Amino acid sequence: MKYSYYPGCTLKNKAKDLDAYARVSARALGFELEEIEDWQCCGGVYPLGSDEIATKLSSVRALNAAKEKGQDLITVCSACHHVLKRVNDDMKNVEDIQTRANNYMKLDTPYKGEAEVLHFLEVLRDRVGFDKVKEKVVNPLKGKKIGAYYGCLLLRPGKILQFDDPENPKIMEDLIRALGGEPVIYPYRNECCGGYISLKEKEMSRNMCDKILESAEGFGADMLITACPLCMYNLKKSTENGTPIYYFTELLAEALGVKEEVTEA
């Protein structure tokens, strides 16, 4: 099974290993990530201005590329997933945005939101199935108490993203169980880490990160996993707390026994 793949900027630069872990894990689980040609940055933030079209066009190009291949569009980054899915909803349901974007792009066939946007985690849950993931595990994460950190962008707005319950998500906890680890439920797992204010308001962002990590540690977590590169960076850099922070693709590759393929490359 092939999926169109939108890696996003971070996973092609500062976090290339996280992208590589996703690719080798996909192959181990029986599907392939086919990177979209000539993709452009999604902007990392969904543009709230209803009359703003230019900042949505890179997402529309990626979505249309997936449509033309007859494939669903996968991304590994929560921010990219958030932007792509919300722009896709605009192109499906907001006539003014749909018309103006298509007029600008002059596509052979207008794009009207036909592609389906999936986060890599959704593919594991809904297409592969966590039972099959569990069957493929060769290095179970036994004895590891892992807290899932969701952050903001993966879950909200719930009606559009339809990813998981925004107040009580469980997809990453289910993944942790499938990989043989013990999930730790803690109160701050879906609170903001302050990633977007970390340059201007360093102290505020640091306090937000401290609360998250203290909450996770207080409930017994040995480490955290996240699905957002910005969250991972911010949690690591904005606090002096020593809790290890991992991207979910790294632990997935480790449990599947394919992590060495990345480190040896």
Side-chain angles (χ1 to χ4, degrees):
M1 183 70 175
K2 284 186 179 181
Y3 294 89
S4 288
Y5 177 48
Y6 183 92
C9 302
T10 305
L11 271 71
K12 296 296 284 187
N13 290 283
K14 294 291 186 181
K16 289 182 180 179
D17 54 338
L18 309 183
D19 167 69
Y21 293 139
R23 292 174 189 263
V24 296
S25 295
R27 287 197 293 271
L29 292 169
F31 64 97
E32 184 179 343
L33 303 180
E34 189 172 59
E35 186 172 333
I36 291 173
E37 296 178 6
D38 302 323
W39 60 267
Q40 298 167 305
C41 177
C42 69
V45 180
Y46 173 73
L48 293 175
S50 59
D51 60 346
E52 189 175 349
I53 295 298
T55 49
K56 294 181 171 71
L57 295 179
S58 61
S59 295
V60 177
R61 290 189 184 98
L63 292 160
N64 186 66
K67 169 200 164 185
E68 289 183 344
K69 289 186 176 182
Q71 298 174 345
D72 295 332
L73 179 61
I74 288 185
T75 182
V76 180
C77 169
S78 296
C80 295
H81 172 260
H82 183 95
V83 174
L84 289 165
K85 194 146 191 180
R86 293 190 72 176
V87 171
N88 201 43
D89 183 73
D90 288 338
M91 296 300 291
K92 192 180 297 184
N93 298 310
V94 184
E95 185 177 353
D96 178 59
I97 292 176
Q98 180 192 104
T99 300
R100 287 194 291 143
N102 279 308
N103 285 346
Y104 184 91
M105 295 183 66
K106 293 180 170 58
L107 300 170
D108 293 337
T109 302
Y111 181 75
K112 297 182 179 180
E114 294 92 342
E116 183 171 1
V117 181
L118 298 169
H119 192 281
F120 195 100
L121 285 167
E122 291 178 290
V123 177
L124 297 182
R125 179 188 65 193
D126 302 331
R127 302 295 176 83
V128 176
F130 286 134
D131 287 341
K132 183 174 179 181
V133 173
K134 185 176 182 178
E135 290 174 6
K136 294 285 186 177
V137 168
V138 297
N139 297 320
L141 307 179
K142 273 188 176 180
K144 294 185 178 180
K145 296 181 178 180
I146 307 169
Y149 177 65
Y150 289 88
C152 311
L153 299 177
L154 201 58
L155 301 167
R156 307 178 182 95
K159 288 183 179 179
I160 294 176
L161 296 185
Q162 297 181 348
F163 177 81
D164 207 340
D165 183 342
E167 299 302 322
N168 188 27
K170 65 174 187 175
I171 187 170
M172 283 203 276
E173 284 81 8
D174 288 343
L175 173 63
I176 291 165
R177 292 187 187 95
L179 300 183
E182 179 184 341
V184 175
I185 310 293
Y186 62 100
Y188 279 78
R189 63 200 176 112
N190 56 354
E191 295 293 326
C192 180
C193 71
Y196 284 116
I197 63 169
S198 59
L199 293 178
K200 186 178 180 181
E201 301 288 349
K202 291 183 179 180
E203 190 62 31
M204 184 183 295
S205 177
R206 186 177 295 112
N207 289 338
M208 295 165 80
C209 289
D210 283 341
K211 287 180 180 178
I212 291 163
L213 290 161
E214 287 168 7
S215 174
E217 282 188 344
F219 279 75
D222 301 322
M223 64 183 72
L224 291 187
I225 63 167
T226 184
C228 175
L230 179 58
C231 291
M232 185 176 76
Y233 174 85
N234 199 41
L235 287 169
K236 282 184 174 182
K237 298 295 183 182
S238 294
T239 178
E240 296 178 359
N241 189 296
T243 304
I245 315 293
Y246 294 98
Y247 209 66
F248 79 96
T249 55
E250 181 175 359
L251 290 190
L252 175 63
E254 180 182 332
L256 294 175
V258 294
K259 185 176 178 180
E260 292 75 16
E261 294 180 26
V262 174
T263 55
E264 292 170 1

